[in-house]
Amino acid sequence: LRLLPQQRYLQAERAEVSALERKRNILCCLITRILKVEKQLHIDDLVFRVTDACQKGELGPGLQFLSFCCHSVDVLSCVLRLLNQGYVRRQEGRPHVLEY
């Protein structure tokens, strides 16, 4: 009988997945918070505002979190997720403008 060492890579994968889920949740919160205030916004402006808030570590007035690196691809992925869930929609006739 031979004992196998614990598989630590499984624990590392779980931690990475958890970190990615937290990042996605923060980005989705930022997107909805910004669109709630603005009501409608060009997608380029939204991406800029979200990435800027991530770098500064600001979730909104009085709320802060640890700053982290996010790329436009991360933000666009979350925008697509919110579009599919129905939280955000494209403006009719102008698909590059998003509405809350």
Side-chain angles (χ1 to χ4, degrees):
L1 182 66
R2 195 173 103 190
L3 296 176
L4 297 175
Q6 273 190 331
Q7 296 179 347
R8 296 189 189 275
Y9 67 89
L10 292 177
Q11 293 170 348
E13 284 181 4
R14 288 184 196 123
E16 288 176 15
V17 168
S18 178
L20 287 174
E21 285 178 5
R22 280 193 305 267
K23 182 177 180 179
R24 184 189 68 207
N25 290 339
I26 290 171
L27 290 175
C28 287
C29 287
L30 278 169
I31 292 167
T32 55
R33 184 174 284 256
I34 290 169
L35 284 176
K36 277 183 180 180
V37 172
E38 296 295 327
K39 304 296 183 214
Q40 64 181 18
L41 199 58
H42 191 281
I43 195 162
D44 292 341
D45 293 333
L46 179 63
V47 169
F48 173 76
R49 288 188 186 188
V50 171
T51 54
D52 188 49
C54 287
Q55 290 172 353
K56 292 179 181 175
E58 299 172 350
L59 185 57
L63 299 174
Q64 292 189 345
F65 60 92
L66 295 175
S67 63
F68 61 88
C69 179
C70 80
H71 301 283
S72 59
V73 175
D74 301 327
V75 178
L76 291 172
S77 172
C78 289
V79 166
L80 286 175
R81 179 180 175 86
L82 292 170
L83 280 167
N84 288 334
Q85 292 176 339
Y87 291 110
V88 175
R89 66 177 181 210
R90 295 180 187 268
Q91 197 174 56
E92 235 177 276
R94 298 187 332 169
H96 53 277
V97 177
L98 300 174
E99 296 178 334
Y100 180 74

